[in-house]
Short mmCIF file of all heavy atoms in Angstrom, two decimals:
data_model
loop_
_atom_site.label_atom_id
_atom_site.label_comp_id
_atom_site.label_asym_id
_atom_site.label_seq_id
_atom_site.Cartn_x
_atom_site.Cartn_y
_atom_site.Cartn_z
N GLU A 1 78.74 81.71 101.78
CA GLU A 1 79.72 81.31 100.75
C GLU A 1 80.51 82.57 100.42
O GLU A 1 80.03 83.73 100.50
CB GLU A 1 79.05 80.84 99.44
CG GLU A 1 78.36 79.49 99.52
CD GLU A 1 79.41 78.44 99.88
OE1 GLU A 1 80.51 78.40 99.27
OE2 GLU A 1 79.06 77.58 100.88
N PRO A 2 81.84 82.43 100.08
CA PRO A 2 82.55 83.67 99.73
C PRO A 2 81.98 84.31 98.51
O PRO A 2 81.42 83.70 97.64
CB PRO A 2 84.01 82.94 99.40
CG PRO A 2 84.01 81.74 99.97
CD PRO A 2 82.56 81.22 100.04
N SER A 3 82.07 85.74 98.56
CA SER A 3 81.55 86.54 97.53
C SER A 3 82.49 87.61 97.03
O SER A 3 83.50 87.89 97.83
CB SER A 3 80.28 87.21 97.98
OG SER A 3 79.26 86.21 98.31
N VAL A 4 82.38 88.16 95.92
CA VAL A 4 83.14 89.35 95.48
C VAL A 4 82.15 90.45 95.21
O VAL A 4 81.27 90.34 94.45
CB VAL A 4 84.01 88.99 94.32
CG1 VAL A 4 83.33 88.56 93.11
CG2 VAL A 4 84.92 90.24 93.98
N ASP A 5 82.39 91.66 95.85
CA ASP A 5 81.49 92.82 95.76
C ASP A 5 82.32 94.01 95.86
O ASP A 5 83.34 94.15 96.44
CB ASP A 5 80.39 92.75 96.82
CG ASP A 5 79.41 91.57 96.58
OD1 ASP A 5 78.63 91.67 95.74
OD2 ASP A 5 79.46 90.63 97.43
N ARG A 6 81.51 95.09 95.46
CA ARG A 6 82.11 96.52 95.77
C ARG A 6 81.81 96.84 97.22
O ARG A 6 80.64 96.62 97.63
CB ARG A 6 81.49 97.51 94.75
CG ARG A 6 81.99 97.35 93.36
CD ARG A 6 81.46 98.50 92.41
NE ARG A 6 82.02 98.42 91.11
CZ ARG A 6 83.13 98.90 90.71
NH1 ARG A 6 83.89 99.50 91.64
NH2 ARG A 6 83.63 98.76 89.53
N PRO A 7 82.70 97.43 97.92
CA PRO A 7 82.43 97.71 99.36
C PRO A 7 81.20 98.59 99.52
O PRO A 7 80.48 98.35 100.48
CB PRO A 7 83.70 98.42 99.70
CG PRO A 7 84.71 97.95 98.85
CD PRO A 7 84.15 97.69 97.51
N ALA A 8 80.92 99.56 98.65
CA ALA A 8 79.81 100.42 98.82
C ALA A 8 78.47 99.61 98.79
O ALA A 8 77.47 100.06 99.43
CB ALA A 8 79.73 101.47 97.67
N ASP A 9 78.49 98.49 98.06
CA ASP A 9 77.24 97.70 98.01
C ASP A 9 77.03 96.91 99.34
O ASP A 9 76.00 96.28 99.40
CB ASP A 9 77.36 96.78 96.77
CG ASP A 9 77.39 97.40 95.45
OD1 ASP A 9 76.97 98.67 95.38
OD2 ASP A 9 77.93 96.90 94.45
N LEU A 10 78.00 96.81 100.17
CA LEU A 10 77.91 96.05 101.35
C LEU A 10 77.69 96.93 102.59
O LEU A 10 77.60 96.40 103.75
CB LEU A 10 79.18 95.27 101.65
CG LEU A 10 79.70 94.37 100.48
CD1 LEU A 10 81.00 93.81 100.83
CD2 LEU A 10 78.69 93.30 100.23
N ALA A 11 77.72 98.24 102.40
CA ALA A 11 77.68 99.14 103.61
C ALA A 11 76.61 98.80 104.69
O ALA A 11 76.89 98.72 105.80
CB ALA A 11 77.54 100.56 103.13
N ASP A 12 75.40 98.55 104.14
CA ASP A 12 74.29 98.31 105.12
C ASP A 12 74.49 96.97 105.82
O ASP A 12 74.02 96.81 106.96
CB ASP A 12 72.95 98.30 104.43
CG ASP A 12 72.56 99.64 103.80
OD1 ASP A 12 73.07 100.62 104.40
OD2 ASP A 12 71.68 99.72 102.96
N GLN A 13 75.26 96.07 105.22
CA GLN A 13 75.44 94.67 105.82
C GLN A 13 76.53 94.60 106.75
O GLN A 13 76.46 93.78 107.78
CB GLN A 13 75.63 93.61 104.66
CG GLN A 13 74.48 93.49 103.64
CD GLN A 13 74.78 92.51 102.61
OE1 GLN A 13 75.01 91.38 102.92
NE2 GLN A 13 74.92 92.94 101.34
N VAL A 14 77.52 95.38 106.58
CA VAL A 14 78.78 95.24 107.35
C VAL A 14 79.11 96.43 108.30
O VAL A 14 80.00 96.35 109.18
CB VAL A 14 80.00 95.00 106.47
CG1 VAL A 14 79.80 93.76 105.58
CG2 VAL A 14 80.33 96.24 105.64
N ALA A 15 78.25 97.54 108.24
CA ALA A 15 78.61 98.63 109.10
C ALA A 15 78.51 98.25 110.58
O ALA A 15 77.55 97.72 111.06
CB ALA A 15 77.64 99.79 108.80
N GLY A 16 79.54 98.52 111.27
CA GLY A 16 79.59 98.30 112.77
C GLY A 16 79.90 96.77 113.06
O GLY A 16 80.12 96.47 114.25
N VAL A 17 79.90 95.89 112.10
CA VAL A 17 80.13 94.45 112.35
C VAL A 17 81.65 94.28 112.53
O VAL A 17 82.43 94.80 111.63
CB VAL A 17 79.53 93.59 111.23
CG1 VAL A 17 79.91 92.11 111.46
CG2 VAL A 17 78.04 93.82 111.05
N PRO A 18 82.11 93.47 113.52
CA PRO A 18 83.53 93.27 113.60
C PRO A 18 84.14 92.67 112.23
O PRO A 18 83.37 91.80 111.62
CB PRO A 18 83.61 92.22 114.70
CG PRO A 18 82.49 92.56 115.50
CD PRO A 18 81.32 92.94 114.63
N ALA A 19 85.25 93.13 111.80
CA ALA A 19 85.77 92.72 110.54
C ALA A 19 87.25 92.59 110.62
O ALA A 19 87.87 93.38 111.37
CB ALA A 19 85.38 93.65 109.45
N VAL A 20 87.82 91.65 109.89
CA VAL A 20 89.27 91.45 109.76
C VAL A 20 89.69 91.30 108.30
O VAL A 20 88.80 90.96 107.43
CB VAL A 20 89.82 90.29 110.64
CG1 VAL A 20 89.48 90.45 112.07
CG2 VAL A 20 89.22 88.99 110.14
N GLY A 21 90.95 91.52 108.12
CA GLY A 21 91.54 91.35 106.63
C GLY A 21 91.93 92.60 106.03
O GLY A 21 91.39 93.65 106.39
N ALA A 22 92.67 92.47 105.04
CA ALA A 22 93.25 93.64 104.38
C ALA A 22 92.11 94.46 103.60
O ALA A 22 92.20 95.69 103.54
CB ALA A 22 94.34 93.24 103.30
N GLY A 23 91.09 93.75 103.10
CA GLY A 23 90.02 94.55 102.48
C GLY A 23 89.24 95.35 103.49
O GLY A 23 88.82 96.51 103.14
N ALA A 24 88.99 94.78 104.73
CA ALA A 24 88.35 95.63 105.63
C ALA A 24 89.22 96.77 106.06
O ALA A 24 88.65 97.93 106.33
CB ALA A 24 88.03 94.73 106.92
N LEU A 25 90.41 96.59 106.18
CA LEU A 25 91.31 97.77 106.54
C LEU A 25 91.45 98.82 105.42
O LEU A 25 91.43 100.03 105.66
CB LEU A 25 92.78 97.20 106.82
CG LEU A 25 93.03 96.47 108.14
CD1 LEU A 25 94.23 95.64 108.06
CD2 LEU A 25 92.97 97.43 109.27
N LEU A 26 91.33 98.38 104.22
CA LEU A 26 91.46 99.25 103.06
C LEU A 26 90.21 100.04 102.88
O LEU A 26 90.27 101.27 102.54
CB LEU A 26 91.70 98.49 101.79
CG LEU A 26 91.92 99.22 100.52
CD1 LEU A 26 93.11 100.01 100.50
CD2 LEU A 26 92.02 98.21 99.32
N TYR A 27 89.04 99.53 103.26
CA TYR A 27 87.75 100.20 103.11
C TYR A 27 87.15 100.42 104.45
O TYR A 27 85.97 99.98 104.73
CB TYR A 27 86.86 99.46 102.12
CG TYR A 27 87.46 99.26 100.66
CD1 TYR A 27 88.00 98.14 100.34
CD2 TYR A 27 87.39 100.40 99.87
CE1 TYR A 27 88.50 97.99 99.00
CE2 TYR A 27 87.87 100.23 98.55
CZ TYR A 27 88.47 99.05 98.17
OH TYR A 27 89.00 98.92 96.98
N ASP A 28 87.88 101.06 105.38
CA ASP A 28 87.37 101.14 106.73
C ASP A 28 86.25 102.09 106.93
O ASP A 28 85.64 102.20 107.94
CB ASP A 28 88.52 101.40 107.71
CG ASP A 28 89.27 102.69 107.33
OD1 ASP A 28 88.89 103.38 106.31
OD2 ASP A 28 90.23 103.09 108.09
N THR A 29 85.94 102.93 105.83
CA THR A 29 84.75 103.84 105.97
C THR A 29 83.52 102.94 105.78
O THR A 29 82.39 103.43 106.05
CB THR A 29 84.81 104.90 104.90
OG1 THR A 29 84.87 104.36 103.61
CG2 THR A 29 85.98 105.80 105.25
#
């Protein structure tokens, strides 16, 4: 389901995973 979170809280879940969208570009670290 869609969620809203701070990027830092997602780091372990999304690091290295292919990603698209303005949010991914904005927080590319």
